[in-house]
Amino acid sequence: MAKQVGIVYHEDFLLHTSNHPEYKGRLTSIMDLLNKDKMFAQIAKIEPTPATVEEVALVHKKEYIVSLEEKINEGFNNLDLDTYLTPHSFRVALLSVGGTLTALREVMSGRKKVCFSLGRPPGHHAEPERGMGFCLFNNIAIAALVAQKEFDLKRILIIDFDVHHGNGTEKVFYDSSNVLFVSVHQSAAYPGTGGIADLGVGNGYGYNINIPLPPGCSDVEYDKVFRHIIIPLADRYEPELIMISAGYDGYRDDPLANMGLTVNGYANITQHIKKIADKHCEGKMVFSLEGGYHLDGLAKSFLATMKVVIGSDKRMEITNQKSSDKNIMEIIKKVEKNIKKVDRKV
Ligand SMILES: [Zn+2]
């Protein structure tokens, strides 16, 4: 299986950096661990080509793209309080989008079955008219629209397991049933969106599923979310491709969030996603890196994902068995009602 898996990486992903939790050290810690592990020696490292402004404009308003480039050229250090800019940031943001696009094209061409883009800056908070939350362009949303355009896909499942709600991605596909967006996140954390009742509008009604979990949830709760919600949802939708906003800030020691996932918990999440992909879309998965700010936890959890994907894991046990919150079944029951609105439309 290793030959069917690729990692999209470019040294220039390191150029967008600052004294900030979302800095180049996140990627170097991943690459250091990856390069030490013989298991990954056979995995292709694929160089991305940058996205074009036209591709970015599938999601983002022209005014935003132009003003972002102007701000960077004028030497602005920040887009907002959370989101920094450097002189390289515009070019690197195009390359980061290009990373997810390259991963998509590798998978859709059949050259790879699974591809993981390590592009930075991350993307899932970026909305059509503004970047925010460390994100400049919405890598995964742009790639999903390119997947519709270039490969005529009608049913893309996006699973966002970053600990924060993927508000930008939600906004892009809120009125569409061609993308089923599922976000599992810490409730009331940044950016404050992602309520259960936010189900989409028009054709998209029922195709936006938010699963806000209380702080402290760990491997067992995420396992329940997959068993009770995401797997049945995928069975109703029958996706042609699964795209994953892979954030590792649900890790138990992450400095920016309060969840309790372990490395094995991430392996377990990946097992579930892989089973969905094997059942419905010949195993096709496109991963795009989002958050994850505990360097060791990020690198090990990423590797756990890759081990599951290449099929080399021995069914990892969820070690963190203690259920942490009694309310999760109530939340699951509330979300379960909404699953029934989803059907394979086309
Ligand atoms: Zn996050």
Side-chain angles (χ1 to χ4, degrees), residues 93-153:
L94 288 177
L95 192 62
S96 185
V97 176
T100 311
L101 292 180
T102 300
L104 169 77
R105 288 171 179 139
E106 286 293 310
V107 170
M108 290 311 297
S109 68
R111 286 191 291 273
K112 298 284 176 231
K113 197 172 254 190
V114 183
C115 220
F116 198 129
S117 172
L118 288 171
R120 323 179 20 260
H124 74 150
H125 293 307
E127 298 185 341
E129 65 287 352
R130 61 171 178 162
M132 59 184 278
F134 318 164
C135 304
L136 299 180
F137 297 140
N138 196 317
N139 306 319
I140 203 160
I142 295 164
L145 284 174
V146 168
Q148 293 178 355
K149 223 176 130 187
E150 277 180 25
F151 303 103
D152 200 29
L153 296 188

Side-chain angles (χ1 to χ4, degrees), residues 124-125 162-164 249 291 293:
H124 74 150
H125 293 307
D162 186 280
V163 80
H164 304 101
D249 38 12
Y293 307 99

Side-chain angles (χ1 to χ4, degrees), residues 38-59:
K38 288 195 185 103
M39 195 183 287
F40 297 102
Q42 285 197 334
I43 291 200
K45 311 279 189 317
I46 301 159
E47 276 218 350
T49 44
T52 63
V53 168
E54 289 70 32
E55 285 164 340
V56 172
L58 290 171
V59 161

